[in-house]
Amino acid sequence: MLVKHCIMALRISGSQALSAANSQRLTLIPQRNLLKRLYSSNGPAAIGIVDYDVIKKLPSEPQKLLIDVREPEELKETGQIPSSINIPLGVVSQELAASGQVFKSKYGREKPEPDTEIIFHCKIGKRSLKAAESAAALGFRNVKNYEGSWLDWAKREGLPK
């Protein structure tokens, strides 16, 4: 049944939404012509996309959380985006499900609330999308992906890739 809905989604033009199996929804995003998966038991939560300009402003927006899901060894080679915290992809779900006290002791930041804006990034944006999907599945409703991730940041900042 899900396959049937996906095939129908490809035939639908514009921004019409359709229902898929298991209460998940797929929406055709006309400006980028991409399918975006929506999650949440309390209603759909889209995985948003942010760009360099949004990331550049984050040091002055402490209410938002930037999570780098690369491995610590990668950060040693390249550095990291200011104000980001490192939570590798393999443990993102576990860490976001931890108690507030444990989260704060490990990362020096308050554990995000379900409506906190959480932006994920990695090297090119693929692992960060998986992390964003995991966060959405845990009930976080304001998750975003920095699609260009470290490679875009490094290019614009004149840093090693």
Side-chain angles (χ1 to χ4, degrees):
M1 182 165 189
L2 181 59
V3 172
K4 180 180 175 182
H5 286 293
C6 291
I7 291 169
M8 287 177 13
L10 294 173
R11 293 182 182 157
I12 293 174
S13 63
S15 61
Q16 296 174 328
L18 62 117
S19 294
N22 301 323
S23 301
Q24 293 183 353
R25 307 177 97 202
L26 297 177
T27 303
L28 187 59
I29 308 300
Q31 67 272 24
R32 291 185 177 250
N33 201 23
L34 295 173
L35 290 175
K36 187 184 278 189
R37 186 173 294 256
L38 305 172
Y39 294 91
S40 179
S41 58
N42 297 334
I47 306 296
I49 298 170
V50 300
D51 61 14
Y52 170 82
D53 294 329
V54 170
I55 301 301
K56 187 74 174 171
K57 295 176 190 173
L58 287 178
S60 64
E61 298 176 320
Q63 73 280 12
K64 298 177 182 180
L65 180 60
L66 178 62
I67 299 178
D68 186 333
V69 298
R70 297 178 294 161
E71 293 298 321
E73 297 78 35
E74 292 176 85
L75 275 66
K76 289 176 187 173
E77 294 172 10
T78 63
Q80 64 188 95
I81 297 174
S83 80
S84 68
I85 62 171
N86 178 232
I87 306 177
L89 177 60
V91 295
V92 162
S93 292
Q94 173 186 324
E95 296 300 306
L96 289 175
S99 73
Q101 184 178 6
V102 168
F103 190 93
K104 187 168 185 173
S105 70
K106 284 186 175 182
Y107 302 106
R109 297 275 311 258
E110 295 295 328
K111 179 182 171 183
E113 297 293 326
D115 290 322
T116 300
E117 185 171 336
I118 308 173
I119 303 169
F120 294 92
H121 84 91
C122 57
K123 184 174 181 180
I124 63 172
K126 289 186 178 185
R127 287 177 286 176
S128 54
L129 178 58
K130 288 181 183 181
E133 290 171 344
S134 296
L138 287 171
F140 292 95
R141 296 183 288 269
N142 195 3
V143 294
K144 298 180 179 169
N145 182 32
Y146 177 19
E147 211 169 42
S149 281
W150 178 260
L151 290 182
D152 182 59
W153 176 265
K155 177 183 173 185
R156 292 171 183 261
E157 294 286 313
L159 299 170
K161 297 177 183 178

